[in-house]
Amino acid sequence: MSKTTVAAPAHEPVAVRAGDQADPALTQEFTTAWKRELSQRSDAPSPDACLRAAIVACRPELADRWAATQAADAKRARGVRRVHYLSMEFLMGRALRNAVSVMGLDDALKAALESHAGAASLGEVLEQEPDAALGNGGLGRLAACFLDSFATLELPSFGYGLRYAHGMFAQAIQEGRQVELPDEWLRHGNPWEFVRAELRYPVGFGGVVESSGGHRSWKPAEEIVAQACDFVVPGHATGRVSTLRQWHAQPSRPIDFAMFCRGEHMAAGQHYEAADTLNWVLYPDDSTAAGRQLRLKQEFFLCSASLQDMIARHLREHAEIDTFGRHNVVHLNDTHPALAPAELMRLLLDVYSMGWEEAWAVTTQAVSYTNHTLMPEALETWPVRMFEELLPRHLEIIYEINRRFLDEVGARFPGDTGLIARMSLIDENGERRVRMASLAIVASHKVNGVSALHSKLMVQTIFADFAAMWPQRFLNITNGVTPRRWLMQANPELCELLDRHIGTDWRADLHGLKALGAKAAGKKIGQEFLATKRANKERLAERVRRDFGVTISPDSLFDVQIKRIHEYKRQLLNVLHVVARYQAIVANPGADWVPRTVIFAGKAASAYHAAKLTIQLIHDVARVVNADPRVGNKLKVVFLPNYGVSLAEVILPAADLSEQISTAGTEASGTGNMKFAMNGALTIGTWDGANIEMAEAMGVENMFVFGLRTDAVAKMKSWGYDPRLYAEENFALQQVLDAIGGGVFSWGEPDRYRSLVQPLLHRDPYMLLADFADYVHAQEQVDALYRDPAAWAERALRNIAGMGAFSTDRTIAEYIEHVWADPKAR
Ligand SMILES: *Cc1c(COP(=O)(O)O)cnc(C)c1O
């Protein structure tokens, strides 16, 4: 891995124990701390107690590494930019396994457990840890993978987020329907957390703006305190740790004691409640209007607390505020933290008395922004009215940014009033609203998309006007995933196979996987690959039997689609194929079918009707298909509830086939696609997002590519797409739609799925019917290859060989080089 020296000089190693190797002194400390924590117990400790003891025993070393990392970063602060990654979501998952493996404590933990007769097994203890699910899906998981790579690449950095009491909801299934239950990951506290008692910042809301002698100052009506709580992420093969600093909202003053003494207990602590609501929930990304004001408050809370913290650190290290932009990166993970530039401007202007031009130069030098979606409905806007109420000074600042910006637009493109209206930071159609993406672009020196196709479409469509004005500002940086969690920890058997055949260099630099290409056709390696896949499939089958009481056969092809349930991701297209296959099997049960188990997992946003109905349809289809004696083991359908990081870690190594079937042009990148391919699953996918770059890296002949491409989708839409024509000329498709729409799977309520099927025949905005025949054809090719295990194994190994570029280590190296390194320092 080449390290960019400007931002992350690697030549000053941190003076702590290098990771990943067992260290006798550390092992001793761990064991002592473990015993101390469990000392009052004579009986075998419960799995919960063991989990707690293990975490507590890890803490001192993590604290040391954290302190050493910070000390090293402070020392090299001159000439090095610190990256601050602002994100409303961090989908972390569990931490214990990563921590013990980084510190080389796996054996110590195992031995500690074995020292108690009757104590839980290592596996049970690891499974006891709740997922830190402070994110909805890909965007939040990306942020978590980034923290891992920050540590590996020795990048001076902080992740900034919120400490939600309730993260992503837990999904239960009742009678085939999704039920949302609150996630209670903090029920037993969070032993990982380091509360930084001294780091507290006031964050204001509401109130008025006062003026004296040309100086504006904001007098908020309400103040809430942001308390820093650190979550430490240790990196592999480095003594360093990354920090996720999470803000916890607390009341700014004690209870009203007089009121309390009068017996008005609730009223005396009302402001406690008001502050605490900010901590309650992570908002589901597809949610409706409910609670929007609270969401805006959360977003501002994140921005304001994080910037105050950055400025305090900057002033400790550099004394002068005017160099803030030279030494600090403020990166916006989507537009959710897009208030950051407005808050930074307020702090520089009102608190540090800078002039506008200077403050703006500092701000744009610091800020950069990643766009994650092209869907117009996902582009965040906030009513001006809400700003007037909550953030009056920020509204003034946004108006001034806008005035200066539109002057610039007018000078560049004179007389184009349509352009001015489109580019304005304020949407004047209907209720006036602030356009957060536009604010983020105007305030950033770099704006990137997350795959080559997405970045291209971004500048051609939603941001075309901005790209015409500032072509140099836009670039692509394709997403990745951390191979530590998603390959090394999730699939140790496969990793040992790789070590045996290509050595261990790939562990430090994933590009090393390329060496596998020359060996992929080998007979022995192919057989070994199939054996590890088999073992992983058995492990998953066992988990599914144990946790969900469903039997699936490792002899069948595991065909897997796991991700958020969304119309554009087209789980419904997968279901159409399942039903077509079911009907074909029933019509010809004696044919030589390749047995398949189709596995789904994913959560639907609570207010997203079509997504929830899709989950129900999957269950209904599963019920009918799995019980049909004519089908037997030729086809099984299962839905695994409560998808999350930990469930993904068990499913991915067991997958044969990865379903990445979004409508071309809709999936910005996808990262699930990368995790599957690294684990030796073949991809059936559309020419969309990062699928394209994966196909190019591994050889397009090694992926099952199908469906319309972006240009064809656009053309068909502009010509007038008529989905009925596809149904009319495809008898199998007609039968599938008739069966679902006519109640074959919803006996007793024949109309249940009308609202899913009818729109397919009329508008079909995601082009399921246009892609159906090609999808089924690609599935037949999957069957054909699967009949030849040696050919399948070779293909899988070629997939793995092509995945070198899809590590977040490569992604972060590109951010450092193209976005975060100070152009003036280069
Ligand atoms: C990787 C991951 C995602 C993103 O999956 P996509 O298939 O790219 O949408 C979402 N949720 C979890 C838990 C993940 O691990």
Side-chain angles (χ1 to χ4, degrees):
M1 172 60 50
S2 69
K3 284 175 181 155
T4 306
T5 49
V6 173
H11 47 260
E12 226 178 296
V14 181
V16 291
R17 304 176 182 103
D20 295 37
Q21 237 91 72
D23 173 310
L26 178 56
T27 303
Q28 186 56 46
E29 280 166 35
F30 176 86
T31 310
T32 308
W34 165 279
K35 284 191 186 139
R36 215 171 264 149
E37 181 65 18
L38 292 171
S39 59
Q40 71 284 51
R41 297 175 171 265
S42 51
D43 52 345
S46 68
D48 250 341
C50 292
L51 173 69
R52 203 181 166 80
I55 297 173
V56 167
C58 286
R59 272 181 67 111
E61 172 67 11
L62 291 179
D64 286 353
R65 290 185 184 211
W66 187 85
T69 303
Q70 295 306 319
D73 289 353
K75 224 168 39 178
R76 62 187 188 186
R78 287 185 189 282
V80 175
R81 303 186 92 198
R82 214 187 247 102
V83 172
H84 304 91
Y85 195 80
L86 270 61
S87 179
M88 288 289 280
E89 303 188 19
F90 285 87
L91 188 47
M92 304 295 288
R94 292 177 177 139
L96 180 59
R97 183 160 56 164
N98 184 57
V100 293
S101 105
V102 159
M103 296 190 279
L105 290 170
D106 312 70
D107 291 338
L109 177 53
K110 242 183 259 166
L113 284 166
E114 282 161 9
S115 71
H116 306 271
S121 70
L122 178 60
E124 280 172 281
V125 172
L126 294 177
E127 266 185 53
Q128 203 64 28
E129 186 179 357
D131 270 36
L134 308 183
N136 281 292
L139 174 149
R141 185 53 231 175
L142 184 77
C145 286
F146 278 10
L147 291 175
D148 187 70
S149 286
F150 287 171
T152 300
L153 296 193
E154 313 202 335
L155 178 72
S157 59
F158 276 83
Y160 280 109
L162 296 185
R163 184 184 180 279
Y164 307 103
H166 302 286
M168 182 63 178
F169 66 83
Q171 178 191 55
I173 303 291
Q174 282 173 10
E175 290 171 21
R177 286 195 199 109
Q178 169 176 296
V179 180
E180 300 94 34
L181 306 171
D183 160 51
E184 295 188 278
W185 74 293
L186 292 175
R187 192 176 39 218
H188 302 301
N190 182 4
W192 286 118
E193 188 167 271
F194 293 88
V195 177
R196 307 296 182 192
E198 72 288 3
L199 297 180
R200 297 165 64 80
Y201 304 96
V203 176
F205 295 99
V208 294
V209 181
E210 289 175 356
S211 195
S212 82
H215 187 89
R216 308 284 287 163
S217 72
W218 179 29
K219 298 282 176 275
E222 179 192 3
E223 252 177 19
I224 292 176
V225 170
Q227 166 69 59
C229 302
D230 286 352
F231 198 94
V232 169
V233 182
H236 287 251
T238 163
R240 292 176 57 97
V241 298
S242 279
T243 308
L244 168 56
R245 180 154 289 174
Q246 296 180 318
W247 298 110
H248 186 238
Q250 296 179 349
S252 59
R253 57 196 159 85
I255 56 163
D256 184 330
F257 197 61
M259 203 186 265
F260 187 87
C261 293
R262 288 198 302 272
E264 299 165 40
H265 301 162
M266 288 307 182
Q270 238 169 26
H271 58 292
Y272 271 62
E273 209 74 346
D276 201 35
T277 49
L278 286 189
N279 302 316
W280 281 352
V281 287
L282 159 77
Y283 277 93
D285 52 355
D286 309 288
S287 75
T288 49
R292 295 198 39 94
Q293 171 160 338
L294 192 53
R295 165 80 180 191
L296 182 61
K297 282 176 98 169
Q298 284 183 327
E299 292 184 357
F300 179 67
F301 187 68
L302 167 68
C303 295
S304 179
S306 306
L307 283 164
Q308 291 182 65
D309 193 44
M310 284 176 230
I311 289 176
R313 189 179 312 109
H314 174 80
L315 291 177
R316 268 200 313 276
E317 288 174 359
H318 299 279
E320 290 155 352
I321 189 71
D322 28 322
T323 57
F324 180 84
R326 193 186 311 155
H327 297 292
N328 294 279
V329 170
V330 179
H331 195 87
L332 314 178
N333 191 27
D334 214 329
T335 56
H336 316 141
L339 282 167
E343 171 69 349
L344 181 54
M345 284 299 285
R346 182 189 71 84
L347 291 164
L348 296 177
L349 295 168
D350 300 357
V351 179
Y352 295 96
S353 307
M354 248 185 211
W356 183 279
E357 278 80 14
E358 199 190 354
W360 186 242
V362 168
T363 299
T364 52
Q365 190 180 16
V367 176
S368 46
Y369 152 57
T370 299
N371 170 270
H372 286 270
T373 176
L374 302 174
M375 305 223 168
E377 69 269 23
L379 287 181
E380 211 181 3
T381 62
W382 292 103
V384 164
R385 176 184 46 79
M386 256 157 86
F387 268 78
E388 285 165 348
E389 236 170 78
L390 284 179
L391 301 165
R393 177 62 179 140
H394 298 82
L395 185 61
E396 281 185 4
I397 289 171
I398 290 169
Y399 281 157
E400 181 60 15
I401 294 171
N402 199 32
R403 188 187 67 75
R404 288 166 182 256
F405 164 60
L406 293 180
D407 280 352
E408 211 181 319
V409 176
R412 276 284 300 279
F413 307 96
D416 194 340
T417 49
L419 184 70
I420 299 265
R422 288 201 305 276
M423 293 182 81
S424 170
L425 303 189
I426 309 297
D427 182 353
E428 311 271 356
N429 300 310
E431 185 186 24
R432 299 178 73 231
R433 304 178 74 92
V434 182
R435 293 168 166 153
M436 303 309 279
S438 308
L439 174 59
I441 296 170
V442 171
S444 294
H445 62 280
K446 290 287 177 202
V447 177
N448 72 288
V450 290
S451 73
L453 175 68
H454 167 242
S455 297
K456 186 182 95 174
L457 296 173
M458 177 178 83
V459 297
Q460 285 175 354
T461 61
I462 51 170
F463 298 156
D465 294 328
F466 291 97
M469 178 130 174
W470 297 307
Q472 301 305 319
R473 194 167 294 191
F474 294 86
L475 76 162
N476 173 59
I477 300 183
T478 300
N479 282 168
V481 299
T482 168
R484 269 76 63 181
R485 180 173 295 259
W486 295 111
L487 182 52
M488 297 179 207
Q489 283 158 36
N491 203 344
E493 301 84 356
L494 178 60
C495 294
E496 281 161 27
L497 178 153
L498 295 174
D499 289 346
R500 282 197 305 278
H501 290 274
I502 60 170
T504 58
D505 288 354
W506 66 273
R507 287 179 182 262
D509 179 353
L510 203 66
H511 289 100
L513 289 177
K514 196 158 180 252
L516 199 60
K519 314 223 165 181
K523 197 166 157 206
K524 182 157 168 292
I525 190 174
Q527 283 168 351
E528 285 179 25
F529 170 78
L530 294 174
T532 62
K533 183 60 79 180
R534 169 84 194 191
N536 285 325
K537 288 169 77 172
E538 281 169 5
R539 187 164 59 114
L540 176 63
E542 172 52 27
R543 278 285 291 273
V544 169
R545 197 193 52 72
R546 186 195 75 190
D547 292 351
F548 312 115
V550 177
T551 304
I552 59 177
S553 166
D555 293 324
S556 60
L557 184 162
F558 282 9
D559 171 351
V560 185
Q561 187 171 24
I562 51 173
K563 47 180 78 236
R564 288 302 296 258
I565 311 288
H566 211 295
E567 286 160 286
Y568 82 82
K569 292 179 183 277
R570 300 204 293 192
Q571 280 90 356
L572 189 54
L573 178 61
N574 189 340
V575 175
L576 297 185
H577 165 249
V578 168
V579 172
R581 180 172 285 250
Y582 168 61
Q583 292 175 334
I585 291 172
V586 167
N588 191 1
D592 179 22
W593 295 96
V594 173
R596 268 204 202 213
T597 302
V598 183
I599 297 169
F600 291 91
K603 293 175 182 175
S606 59
Y608 192 171
H609 180 69
K612 293 179 109 172
L613 202 55
T614 303
I615 292 176
Q616 198 179 1
L617 175 61
I618 293 167
H619 282 88
D620 275 338
V621 169
R623 194 172 35 78
V624 171
V625 169
N626 297 352
D628 193 323
R630 296 167 295 180
V631 175
N633 60 7
K634 299 182 193 81
L635 181 61
K636 290 275 177 263
V637 181
V638 291
F639 185 97
L640 304 181
N642 205 27
Y643 181 56
V645 171
S646 291
L647 186 57
E649 287 172 25
V650 199
I651 297 175
L652 289 161
D656 293 309
L657 186 65
S658 159
E659 298 270 353
Q660 306 300 336
I661 60 177
S662 52
T663 315
T666 62
E667 186 72 87
S669 163
T671 49
N673 47 4
M674 302 168 188
K675 302 170 201 165
F676 275 101
M678 272 180 204
N679 281 280
L682 303 193
T683 300
I684 183 166
T686 44
W687 206 243
D688 198 18
N691 293 354
I692 299 171
E693 287 150 85
M694 285 169 52
E696 285 166 351
M698 68 176 66
V700 66
E701 70 283 2
N702 292 312
M703 193 184 277
F704 299 101
V705 177
F706 74 95
L708 296 170
R709 298 191 175 196
T710 338
D711 46 351
V713 168
K715 244 184 234 153
M716 278 180 65
K717 286 199 168 161
S718 70
W719 289 345
Y721 165 54
D722 184 358
R724 267 170 314 188
L725 299 179
Y726 291 88
E728 278 163 20
E729 71 178 24
N730 186 332
F731 183 62
L733 175 56
Q734 229 174 75
Q735 281 197 308
V736 170
L737 296 174
D738 286 350
I740 298 172
V744 167
F745 303 100
S746 50
W747 201 74
E749 193 191 336
D751 281 350
R752 184 178 289 168
Y753 298 112
R754 272 259 296 255
S755 68
L756 276 187
V757 172
Q758 283 296 325
L760 294 183
L761 289 164
H762 291 108
R763 236 165 48 80
D764 189 18
Y766 296 102
M767 319 285 277
L768 278 69
L769 300 202
D771 277 348
F772 176 80
D774 203 20
Y775 179 52
V776 171
H777 178 65
Q779 291 286 14
E780 287 162 1
Q781 293 174 323
V782 170
D783 288 329
L785 190 70
Y786 199 73
R787 287 176 204 280
D788 181 349
W792 183 277
E794 180 182 342
R795 200 69 91 80
L797 292 167
R798 291 197 189 286
N799 272 248
I800 300 170
M803 292 309 292
F806 298 91
S807 163
T808 34
D809 295 347
R810 188 271 312 149
T811 309
I812 294 305
E814 288 184 10
Y815 273 100
I816 292 171
E817 186 173 344
H818 301 297
V819 180
W820 295 338
D822 183 1
K824 292 190 194 89
R826 253 188 291 188

